[in-house]
Amino acid sequence: MISTVDKNSDITFEDIINDILPHDNVMFSVRSSGAVCEVNAEKNLLLRVREQYATIGDESRPWHIHVNLNNTKEARFVIENKSDDRKSYSIRFFDLEGNLVLRANFIKMYDSSNALIREKYLAYEQIFSKYGKKQSLFLKTR
């Protein structure tokens, strides 16, 4: 059975991101009212936390993402049906008002014959299972 929310969590943003970063074929996206930034993450990116900010990636490289940990309060595991009989798999992070802060999309989940690639699905499922198969987790602030 899948629980929908865990409001008494000791799980942090860093915990979940550290479970995502070892995997390949992850795309991070950040959306504002006027733009979307999508980044194909490299496997085993660095995560650094200083004060209230987490930095995904390395500031000396072509890109990196800063996330305000004080404003990032919820993680949601999302599986969506797509129009081509496929599903999309993501972990999304939200602020207290329910605004999307960051999205980690697990991409290239299907082969050329439209079959789900088991190893890639299991990577997502392993993270989901680690957190009790809860669709929504409130995140503990450092």
Side-chain angles (χ1 to χ4, degrees):
M1 179 175 184
I2 296 175
S3 174
T4 56
V5 68
D6 182 355
K7 293 186 178 185
N8 299 315
S9 175
D10 285 332
I11 298 162
T12 64
F13 173 84
E14 302 98 287
D15 293 333
I16 298 173
I17 290 293
N18 277 321
D19 288 330
I20 294 169
L21 293 177
H23 300 285
D24 58 358
N25 296 313
V26 172
M27 177 183 288
F28 288 107
S29 63
V30 179
R31 179 184 307 240
S32 72
S33 62
V36 175
C37 175
E38 296 179 329
V39 178
N40 283 318
E42 300 167 17
K43 190 174 182 179
N44 294 317
L45 280 173
L46 295 174
L47 175 68
R48 190 185 71 229
V49 176
R50 286 202 179 132
E51 297 176 15
Q52 73 187 53
Y53 283 93
T55 301
I56 301 169
D58 186 341
E59 291 179 345
S60 67
R61 306 278 311 255
W63 67 268
H64 58 277
I65 300 169
H66 296 294
V67 177
N68 185 327
L69 298 174
N70 290 340
N71 292 339
T72 307
K73 300 297 183 184
E74 182 184 0
R76 294 182 197 158
F77 290 82
V78 179
I79 301 173
E80 294 177 307
N81 292 319
K82 301 190 68 140
S83 60
D84 57 1
D85 292 329
R86 294 182 181 197
K87 294 181 179 182
S88 68
Y89 300 84
S90 64
I91 302 172
R92 301 175 190 182
F93 299 90
F94 295 86
D95 66 15
L96 277 177
E97 289 78 39
N99 299 310
L100 185 63
V101 174
L102 178 72
R103 184 172 164 161
N105 301 294
F106 288 70
I107 60 173
K108 300 181 182 177
M109 299 286 285
Y110 292 84
D111 64 19
S112 60
S113 63
N114 210 30
L116 184 63
I117 301 170
R118 181 173 168 72
E119 296 80 26
K120 294 184 181 197
Y121 169 76
L122 289 176
Y124 179 87
E125 181 63 27
Q126 177 185 23
I127 298 170
F128 187 45
S129 293
K130 178 178 180 178
Y131 296 104
K133 292 190 178 248
K134 292 176 174 59
Q135 293 172 328
S136 181
L137 298 165
F138 283 93
L139 301 173
K140 178 180 173 184
T141 305
R142 299 179 96 228

